Amino acid sequence: GTTSLYATHDQVKAMTRADRLVVMNAGVAEQIDDPLTVYNHPASTFVASFIGSPAMNFIEAQVGADGASLKLSDGAPLRSEGVNLGNHAGRAVTVGIRPEHLEVANGAPADLKLRVELVETLGADTLAHGTLVGSDSPVSGEAARVLTLRLPGRAEVREGDELPLRVTEGALHLFDGGSGKALADL
């Protein structure tokens, strides 16, 4: 029954020990909530990148003029089933996708294509790191071209492979392209 305040940069300790998390950024509380809400509904790109290991992937996009679709910066569509785009027609957005919410398309239409540059075999998981494939990459800035995919540990993936990826339905996170705030909060 004693209230304790524990300050840490170790997100595993924070997620497992806390009833409530306060995610601070430059002295400002970006989000205060229970651990699973912070993980599943981050209030900003800062929170989304800080909570979760590996960190959330970010891709630049725009809400279509119809207010019901997403287009990557190269004009390619991105499936947005299960995502409420609200009244944000034409808005520049940052799409967040957790590495565990990307899967190899296995014959289904692909949303993205990843050129694998590094494979980390961790036992229970395999992490594939790479860059988006395409003449007009749907992201800008060299750091933003990197994407991480979490696969089962038994996955057979090698450096140089090009993997067609699908995003798990309803697993996109949308943030304002300028402020980084979650669209749900705007």
Side-chain angles (χ1 to χ4, degrees), residues 62-71 80 85-90:
Q62 185 168 19
V63 178
D66 60 2
S69 62
L70 283 173
K71 299 255 184 230
S80 57
L85 298 176
N87 298 324
H88 300 289

Side-chain angles (χ1 to χ4, degrees), residues 1-183:
T2 303
T3 300
S4 300
L5 180 64
Y6 184 78
T8 183
H9 288 280
D10 185 330
Q11 63 178 291
V12 173
K13 286 182 183 174
M15 292 290 289
T16 58
R17 293 182 180 174
D19 294 319
R20 309 261 309 152
L21 291 179
V22 179
V23 181
M24 302 287 292
N25 180 10
V28 175
E30 291 262 338
Q31 187 168 358
I32 303 170
D33 222 320
D34 66 90
L36 286 178
T37 298
V38 171
Y39 182 81
N40 290 318
H41 305 284
S44 66
T45 54
F46 176 81
V47 174
S49 64
F50 188 75
I51 298 294
S53 181
M56 185 179 281
N57 298 297
F58 296 110
I59 303 170
E60 293 176 14
Q62 185 168 19
V63 178
D66 60 2
S69 62
L70 283 173
K71 299 255 184 230
L72 300 176
S73 61
D74 70 349
L78 181 62
R79 285 181 315 110
S80 57
E81 289 94 2
V83 177
N84 181 2
L85 298 176
N87 298 324
H88 300 289
R91 183 185 288 250
V93 295
T94 300
V95 176
I97 310 167
R98 294 220 180 265
E100 59 270 23
H101 294 146
L102 288 167
E103 54 196 33
V104 178
N106 290 326
D111 297 315
L112 304 166
K113 191 176 222 179
L114 179 74
R115 179 177 300 116
V116 178
E117 296 172 353
L118 174 67
V119 176
E120 293 181 86
T121 305
L122 305 174
D125 295 318
T126 295
L127 301 179
H129 306 273
T131 55
L132 291 173
V133 175
S135 57
D136 296 319
S137 180
V139 292
S140 63
E142 200 55 40
R145 296 180 187 276
V146 175
L147 213 64
T148 299
L149 164 67
R150 175 177 277 154
L151 297 165
R154 67 187 181 287
E156 294 185 23
V157 61
R158 294 176 180 75
E159 292 174 13
D161 286 353
E162 289 190 1
L163 303 176
L165 303 177
R166 288 184 60 83
V167 179
T168 303
E169 187 173 327
L172 295 179
H173 298 268
L174 298 179
F175 305 95
D176 180 73
S179 70
K181 300 288 184 195
L183 286 191

